[in-house]
């Protein structure tokens, strides 16, 4: 974490406060992050390793976890997996992962196990607070009371209740996966590039577009009959993704060997 002379973020009437669990074995990082979050209006719990983090989360369920990837004993990936496994049907606790590594594979691993966002060390504490606020706003944003349920291709989404099902079975989705699925269902048949999804689903005008790629891959693993040959969320070469809203996408004749091969090739978009 680098030094910064930025103004500390302070709470305002439009901000979403909540309880944040900060998990980092570096006491300096933990103290600074805690100070910034508390000045921004959050209640903060702290833990220095994986088991302590899981105990703290069990005692006081956090609204969000700031989780270091490199922890002694049990790393952040395993902590994230266990937090997800403990959801017991409730919405998963959002996770913002911290990593000191510059390797993209490590960042992608964090997203693959369910992290909602990541920040690479050294980082600006102010940027971290903004990321935390962004994630929590998405969690707390209530859908309009009159927003209809969304349904297509055996999928159903209730935005107000934040519930999603496939063929009547409840789907276990992270915050971003749910928002991404709802967005695709709102705009069936449209090609959505990653910049548009980053802006409309994540609410960011900046960020690593691989975040979108990984979340699409994770969503496919939960809704597609064959994630390696997706028929619901199709890759459009060089353009983005298109949600196929037909009622029986798996009963259709194959769109063509070239199209299927193109999607399986993961052309950098998925």
């Amino acid at each position: 974490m680098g030094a910064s002379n930025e103004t500390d973020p302070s709470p305002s009437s439009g901000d979403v406060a909540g309880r944040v669990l900060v998990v980092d074995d570096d006491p300096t990082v933990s103290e600074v992050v805690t100070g910034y979050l508390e000045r921004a209006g959050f209640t903060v719990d702290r833990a220095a390793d994986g088991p302590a983090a899981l105990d703290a989360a069990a005692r006081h369920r956090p609204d969000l976890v700031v989780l270091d990837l490199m922890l002694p004993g049990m790393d952040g990936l395993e902590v994230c997996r266990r937090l997800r496994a403990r959801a017991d049907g409730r919405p998963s606790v959002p996770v913002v992962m911290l990593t000191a590594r510059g390797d993209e594979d490590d960042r992608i691993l964090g997203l693959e196990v369910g992290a909602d966002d990541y920040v690479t060390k050294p980082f600006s504490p102010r940027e971290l607070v903004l990321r935390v606020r962004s994630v929590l706003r998405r969690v707390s944003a209530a859908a309009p009371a009159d927003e209809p349920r969304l349904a297509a291709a055996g999928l159903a989404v209730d935005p107000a209740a934040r519930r999603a099902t496939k063929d009547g079975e409840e789907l276990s989705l992270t915050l971003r996966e749910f928002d991404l699925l709802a967005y695709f269902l709102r705009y069936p048949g449209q090609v959505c590039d990653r910049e548009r999804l980053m802006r409309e689903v994540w609410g960011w005008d900046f960020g690593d577009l691989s975040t979108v790629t990984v979340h699409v891959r994770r969503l496919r693993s939960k809704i597609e009959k064959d994630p390696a040959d997706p028929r619901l969320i199709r890759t459009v070469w060089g353009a983005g993704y298109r949600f196929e809203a037909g009622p029986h996408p798996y009963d259709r004749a194959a769109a063509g060997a070239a199209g299927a091969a193109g999607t399986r090739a993961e052309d950098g978009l998925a």
Side-chain angles (χ1 to χ4, degrees), residues 7-53:
T7 302
D8 288 2
S10 57
S12 67
S13 58
D15 283 329
V16 176
R19 189 179 206 104
V20 177
L21 173 60
V22 174
V23 187
D24 198 303
D25 63 321
D26 185 327
T28 300
V29 172
S30 182
E31 289 170 10
V32 172
V33 169
T34 295
Y36 269 75
L37 288 168
E38 288 179 340
R39 284 191 288 276
F42 295 98
T43 299
V44 181
D45 298 316
R46 292 163 57 180
D49 56 41

Side-chain angles (χ1 to χ4, degrees), residues 91-152:
S92 298
V93 174
V95 173
V96 175
M97 193 162 280
L98 305 179
T99 174
R101 299 180 180 180
D103 190 343
E104 183 181 8
D105 290 343
D106 292 313
R107 299 196 298 272
I108 289 176
L109 272 175
L111 297 172
E112 289 281 12
V113 299
D116 296 278
D117 193 11
Y118 65 84
V119 176
T120 303
K121 297 178 181 178
F123 60 88
S124 158
R126 185 172 184 274
E127 179 189 352
L128 176 59
V129 173
L130 292 174
R131 293 293 185 101
V132 168
R133 284 175 171 167
S134 173
V135 172
L136 287 176
R137 283 194 186 103
R138 301 295 297 187
V139 175
S140 63
D146 59 350
E147 181 169 358
R149 296 184 180 186
L150 307 165

Side-chain angles (χ1 to χ4, degrees), residues 134-180:
S134 173
V135 172
L136 287 176
R137 283 194 186 103
R138 301 295 297 187
V139 175
S140 63
D146 59 350
E147 181 169 358
R149 296 184 180 186
L150 307 165
L155 296 163
V157 168
D158 184 341
R162 295 193 69 83
R163 290 185 68 248
T165 60
K166 175 177 170 57
D167 298 327
E169 296 292 325
E170 187 103 18
L171 290 169
S172 177
L173 302 178
T174 67
L175 165 72
R176 298 299 187 189
E177 291 165 0
F178 180 91
D179 289 344
L180 189 59

Side-chain angles (χ1 to χ4, degrees), residues 222-247:
K222 296 180 180 181
I223 69 171
E224 297 280 1
K225 183 177 182 181
D226 179 5
D229 183 18
R231 300 298 182 89
L232 297 175
I233 303 175
R234 304 299 297 263
T235 297
V236 180
W237 276 72
Y241 305 103
R242 182 180 62 242
F243 180 75
E244 300 286 1

